[in-house]
Amino acid sequence: MSDVEARELVYEGKAKKLFATGDPDLLLQYFKDDATAFNAKKRGTIIEKGVRNNAISEVFFRLLEREGVPTHFVRRLDDRHMLVKRLEIVPVEMVVRNVIAGSLAKRLGIEEGKALPEPIVEFYYKSDALDDPMINEWHVRVLGMATQAEIDRMVELTLKVNAVLRPFVAERGIVLVDMKLEFGRHHGTIILGDEICPDTCRFWDSSSGEKLDKDRFRRDLGRVEEAYEEIARRVGA
Ligand code: TMP
Ligand code: ASP
């Protein structure tokens, strides 16, 4: 795999593995085909998902870097490996929504599909044991997950990522309904980590409304692989 050697496994999540490299500042991010939903109560495989998500994430990270969003992306090494900066992950999942869907629709009893007049940002505590409960910025600050300055920066960057990706995908016939972002500290500075792909975003076809993301797996809609392939094709991954 190019010039970078994968050393010990540092972390294994549901969709990715992180390996140490010879450089203490850098990690190898390996993209799996494993798919889970509802906190792993549902499990399966989406063929070639890892390859698609690695390529799609590369396109988005490069675009975001060009637009001034600091990310952990260094370069894509091959089909399933991305070289990234080592982060101390903030245990908060940032969700930004443009259209009502998913857990927001459920929680408030509103039908999916209504466009919001402005984006909504939400915080979730990253804990599989607790099913990622929704929290607010008071919990994040008072319980010491991040400082107020870090929270402000994460919100600013979350809105910026949304503002950059939304028109980019819109030009390609895709509605960015919502997405989940994770941030971490690299030498003390907050930067964007994780991946940005159909696992972590809701993408709807602009004309038909067809779901082109992991909801096809979560909700047993069929044509799951085709959806990932279609997003990769449209964004030029
Ligand atoms: P939600 O509507 O289920 O809260 O999801 C909001 C967005 O976050 C959606 O684009 C899917 C993404 N997401 C994740 O990436 N990981 C998760 O664990 C959850 C629950 C959602
Ligand atoms: N929470 C992730 C999802 O549904 C995966 C999981 O919960 O297992 O997108």
Side-chain angles (χ1 to χ4, degrees):
M1 183 202 348
S2 107
D3 51 324
V4 183
E5 180 199 348
R7 297 199 179 167
E8 77 275 9
L9 181 70
V10 178
Y11 174 82
E12 177 158 7
K14 289 178 291 215
K16 299 186 295 302
K17 291 182 190 178
L18 288 170
F19 295 93
T21 67
D23 184 334
D25 264 351
L26 301 177
L27 296 178
L28 264 182
Q29 179 159 269
Y30 174 85
F31 291 77
K32 305 193 262 189
D33 284 352
D34 301 358
T36 65
F38 316 117
N39 199 17
K41 288 184 236 339
K42 176 182 174 118
R43 289 176 181 276
T45 301
I46 300 174
I47 297 160
E48 298 289 274
K49 171 170 84 79
V51 177
R52 305 279 173 249
N53 285 355
N54 190 17
I56 294 166
S57 292
E58 177 187 19
V59 169
F60 290 149
F61 281 136
R62 283 187 186 281
L63 170 67
L64 290 167
E65 287 280 351
R66 280 201 298 280
E67 297 292 332
V69 175
T71 79
H72 72 156
F73 176 78
V74 178
R75 64 195 153 92
R76 189 168 63 81
L77 297 176
D78 61 24
D79 268 8
R80 288 181 186 271
H81 292 88
M82 179 181 281
L83 188 64
V84 297
K85 294 174 186 157
R86 185 192 279 266
L87 296 185
E88 181 198 334
I89 278 285
V90 174
V92 175
E93 300 192 351
M94 304 288 297
V95 168
V96 57
R97 302 178 184 274
N98 301 306
V99 176
I100 294 177
S103 68
L104 177 62
K106 205 166 171 185
R107 189 176 328 108
L108 300 185
I110 315 172
E111 217 182 304
E112 288 196 313
K114 189 183 176 313
L116 294 163
E118 58 177 299
I120 291 177
V121 174
E122 297 170 346
F123 302 78
Y124 292 85
Y125 176 43
K126 191 174 157 63
S127 164
D128 284 343
L130 300 174
D131 260 350
D132 296 348
M134 192 183 195
I135 52 177
N136 65 34
E137 59 176 277
W138 290 72
H139 300 99
V140 179
R141 182 182 65 251
V142 177
L143 299 176
M145 298 170 201
T147 66
Q148 188 61 51
E150 289 175 330
I151 295 167
D152 293 345
R153 182 65 171 152
M154 291 192 294
V155 170
E156 181 193 355
L157 289 174
T158 296
L159 291 171
K160 175 89 187 267
V161 170
N162 187 52
V164 170
L165 297 190
R166 206 177 166 188
F168 178 83
V169 302
E171 282 161 22
R172 290 152 180 85
I174 303 162
V175 179
L176 176 59
V177 171
D178 53 34
M179 69 182 150
K180 185 264 297 182
L181 301 173
E182 294 187 27
F183 294 89
R185 303 174 190 94
H186 183 69
H187 294 293
T189 301
I190 291 288
I191 66 176
L192 180 64
D194 198 38
E195 61 182 324
I196 307 177
C197 61
D199 277 11
T200 62
C201 301
R202 283 197 174 90
F203 295 124
W204 294 355
D205 180 83
S206 306
S207 38
S208 67
E210 190 191 0
K211 297 185 196 318
L212 297 172
D213 56 58
K214 197 169 142 188
D215 272 347
R216 301 203 72 83
F217 169 80
R218 293 189 190 99
R219 304 178 188 190
D220 294 319
L221 301 176
R223 296 179 55 82
V224 182
E225 280 83 5
E226 288 82 349
Y228 284 73
E229 215 176 292
E230 180 62 14
I231 293 296
R233 190 186 66 76
R234 291 203 202 175
V235 304

